[in-house]
Amino acid sequence: MATIKLTTAVRNAMGDAILAALNAGSGPALLKVYDGTQPAGPATAITSQVLLGTLTFSDPAGATSGGVITFDTITQDSAADATGTASWVRLCDSTGAAVLDGDVTVSAGSGFFKLNTLSIVAGGPIQASSGTLTMPGA
C-alpha cells in the first residue's frame, strides 16, 4: 500500500473544496439519514434505502483548519420521515446534489457522523451530536 503525506495547506485546500461543494446553491447544505446498505458512492442512486430524515447545516456548513473540516451547528430534524435503523448519511448541497456519503454511529462511536440514536422513529427527532472530516495524508 502506498503512503503519502500532504502539507497542511494541501489538506486545507481539499477540505475547502468539499465545503465549497456543500455550500453550493442558495441555501444550506443537507444531511440525509438513511437505513440499509450504503451505496458505492454519492454518484450512485438511492434504491431500496429509506430516507429516515433530513438535518440542515448552517450556511456556510463549516470551516477547515489543520486539514480537518469541523461542521458548524446542524439543525435537527424534529419529525423523522420514517422508522428504521440509521446506517449511513449523504451530505448534499442545497439543491439536493450529493457531495459525499459516510457511515454513522451514536455519540460514543467512531463513525463519520454521530447521531443521538440510530433507532429512528417516524415523527421523532434526529439530532447530530458532531461531525468532522479529517483529510488524508497527515
Side-chain angles (χ1 to χ4, degrees), residues 46-128:
I46 304 298
T47 56
S48 61
Q49 301 89 341
V50 173
L51 175 64
L52 301 175
T54 303
L55 290 75
T56 305
F57 284 94
S58 296
D59 192 10
T64 307
S65 178
V68 178
I69 296 172
T70 301
F71 295 100
D72 289 336
T73 302
I74 303 167
T75 302
Q76 76 173 5
D77 182 336
S78 60
D81 299 334
T83 297
T85 303
S87 55
W88 64 283
V89 294
R90 176 163 281 179
L91 280 60
C92 302
D93 69 14
S94 65
T95 70
V99 174
L100 65 94
D101 293 345
D103 63 343
V104 63
T105 60
V106 294
S107 298
S110 61
F112 165 56
F113 254 89
K114 296 170 181 26
L115 300 178
N116 61 320
T117 181
L118 300 182
S119 299
I120 308 301
V121 177
I126 305 173
Q127 296 174 328

